[in-house]
Amino acid sequence: MATMYYESDVDKSSLEGKTIAIIGYGSQGHAHALNLRESGHNVIVAQRPDSANGRLAQEHGWQLHSVSEAAAKAQIIQILLPDQVQAKVYKEDIAPNLQDNDVLMFAHGFNIHFNQILPPKNVDVIMVAPKGPGHLVRSEYEKGAGVANLIAIYQDHSGNAKKLALAYAHGIGGTRAGVIETTFKEETETDLFGEQAVLCGGASELVRAGFQTMVDAGYQPEIAYFEVLHELKLIVDLFYQGGLSYMNYSVSDTAEYGGHTRGPRVVNETSRQAMREIMEEIQNGSFAREWLCENLVNQPVLRKMRERDHDSQLETVGRKLRKMMPFVNPKEV
Ligand code: NAD
Ligand code: MG
């Protein structure tokens, strides 16, 4: 079993007298900055002022710094930029401003694990990664709750790295929910696998395939939408509350029997083999190379995929139906 850390395991003194720079005021950045400030820490923010997030940060009362200024001023530097831009910003603006005994921090292990950022030996390198989206890290903290965190130590120059990680996790509310220690390797590989095979990739493709099968069979697209996309949330909420057994307990016996016997025909040995191959591409670095190259050429594949989804029948029907359901809090991109 993993060792869990909670409020009573924290030595808050390890952040005393230190300045924490939050680099990037996006999904994670705004939540870390605000939570740490309200936990009584000394925080500064780096974010371009001429951006939506820059304006938001100013509304939240931050005086904005450039990345190099913030890196120079702070002893703890938490990099919360998109993963694909971190290495460039690190080389140009952070590395030249690192001082002896500084602490370099991440919320995802990608750039350290795949050697895109090669930190010097005289700093600590640690990760505090909330297992949830940034807006929840903020809203749970405001409620007096928290989102669970993973912590990892890549380099412990000070001998104090774990205490620092726990104190930081405490500052963003993570120790209220629980903190688990991992490694940069485990966090990076499991995070990539989960999002590719199950969460973002697998679940979306299952919805697309189910929708298309129903429409091709002549059923109304609106019914297909409700059946495979809208209702998926209700099922996942049952997983979340009580696991697979509680979902099966709540649905009809017909649904339970049909699911048990038909599900494995859809996610079958071919799918499991595909999962193992996806895992292998993550572990051997070929996914990382592909994604970094995609970014060097301005994301042509990603842009095509977004267009394809935006104009698809599933998305077009969904946009129309969601407009009639204000209670789902519809969003458009
Ligand atoms: P984001 O895209 O929401 O925010 C990034 C911020 O960086 C934005 O404010 C953007 O304006 C700024 N930025 C972008 N390019 C820049 C550049 N070249 N120079 C300076 N600033 C720039 O990012 P995010 O989703 O919060 O992700 C940050 C880190 O947190 C990543 O390592 C990610 O893997 C990790 N993480 C994210 C989540 C999540 O819920 N989104 C969850 C866990 C971990
Ligand atoms: Mg993730």
Side-chain angles (χ1 to χ4, degrees):
M1 289 297 276
T3 312
M4 300 291 301
Y5 299 94
Y6 294 99
E7 302 285 271
S8 59
D9 301 308
V10 177
D11 173 4
K12 280 169 266 181
S13 69
S14 35
L15 288 178
E16 261 165 33
K18 306 228 160 130
T19 299
I20 305 169
I22 299 297
I23 312 293
Y25 204 74
S27 174
Q28 288 293 326
H30 88 283
H32 291 224
L34 294 171
N35 293 3
L36 288 164
R37 182 168 73 180
E38 283 164 32
S39 295
H41 299 298
N42 187 15
V43 181
I44 58 176
V45 168
Q47 170 68 37
R48 296 171 296 202
D50 60 334
S51 61
N53 286 335
R55 286 184 286 278
L56 186 67
Q58 284 165 311
E59 277 169 36
H60 292 164
W62 300 104
Q63 188 202 329
L64 298 184
H65 296 75
S66 68
V67 174
S68 44
E69 235 171 45
K73 266 195 176 176
Q75 294 78 49
I76 298 175
I77 300 149
Q78 169 66 289
I79 306 182
L80 296 174
L81 302 169
D83 296 307
Q84 69 275 18
V85 311
Q86 289 186 8
K88 181 166 183 282
V89 174
Y90 172 81
K91 269 183 217 107
E92 289 171 4
D93 299 318
I94 297 176
N97 292 296
L98 279 181
Q99 281 149 354
D100 221 14
N101 302 317
D102 276 356
V103 181
L104 198 57
M105 289 192 64
F106 297 87
H108 178 38
F110 189 97
N111 281 280
I112 290 289
H113 180 62
F114 292 116
N115 300 307
Q116 300 304 298
I117 291 179
L118 301 166
K121 288 287 166 224
N122 60 345
V123 301
D124 288 355
V125 180
I126 66 188
M127 168 165 48
V128 176
K131 281 284 97 183
H135 74 267
L136 270 188
V137 175
R138 178 59 185 154
S139 61
E140 290 294 299
Y141 180 91
E142 286 181 291
K143 286 195 283 193
V147 167
N149 290 175
L150 299 185
I151 59 167
I153 315 297
Y154 178 77
Q155 195 165 283
D156 189 2
H157 172 69
S158 68
N160 210 21
K162 186 150 161 190
K163 277 190 180 164
L164 279 163
L166 284 171
Y168 186 100
H170 177 268
I172 61 172
T175 46
R176 295 170 179 173
V179 171
I180 306 178
E181 189 168 2
T182 178
T183 59
F184 274 65
K185 173 179 161 55
E186 183 178 56
E187 185 277 338
T188 304
E189 294 177 351
T190 55
D191 194 61
L192 292 172
F193 180 79
E195 66 203 19
Q196 293 177 16
V198 179
L199 306 172
C200 312
S204 305
E205 207 51 39
L206 201 57
V207 168
R208 283 192 195 96
F211 178 83
Q212 199 58 51
T213 304
M214 281 192 272
V215 170
D216 289 349
Y219 299 109
Q220 301 177 68
E222 289 79 3
I223 291 181
Y225 173 86
F226 275 112
E227 188 58 44
V228 298
L229 193 150
H230 186 81
E231 240 187 86
L232 185 58
K233 177 185 173 2
L234 312 178
I235 294 296
V236 170
D237 283 347
L238 298 171
F239 286 173
Y240 186 82
Q241 282 185 288
L244 304 181
S245 318
Y246 181 63
M247 184 280 289
N248 275 318
Y249 164 80
S250 301
V251 301
S252 67
D253 288 354
T254 315
E256 183 181 2
Y257 175 79
H260 277 310
T261 54
R262 269 56 184 175
R265 287 168 55 187
V266 176
V267 181
N268 53 24
E269 183 47 34
T270 310
S271 328
R272 283 166 205 267
Q273 180 54 26
M275 285 194 181
R276 287 188 287 270
E277 286 165 17
I278 288 166
M279 178 70 88
E280 171 71 19
E281 288 164 16
I282 291 167
Q283 291 173 334
N284 70 21
S286 53
F287 172 76
R289 182 185 57 196
E290 178 186 325
W291 171 228
L292 292 165
C293 290
E294 166 78 0
N295 281 288
L296 286 179
V297 292
N298 209 17
Q299 307 183 335
V301 175
L302 185 58
R303 285 166 200 270
K304 282 288 170 216
M305 296 288 175
R306 283 182 186 154
E307 264 173 47
R308 177 203 67 171
D309 263 355
H310 186 268
D311 301 337
S312 70
Q313 189 179 19
L314 172 66
E315 291 290 86
T316 311
V317 168
R319 273 193 293 276
K320 188 185 77 181
L321 292 173
R322 288 190 296 270
K323 280 211 182 88
M324 306 308 288
M325 298 186 285
F327 56 87
V328 306
N329 188 16
K331 308 266 190 215
E332 270 196 45
V333 288

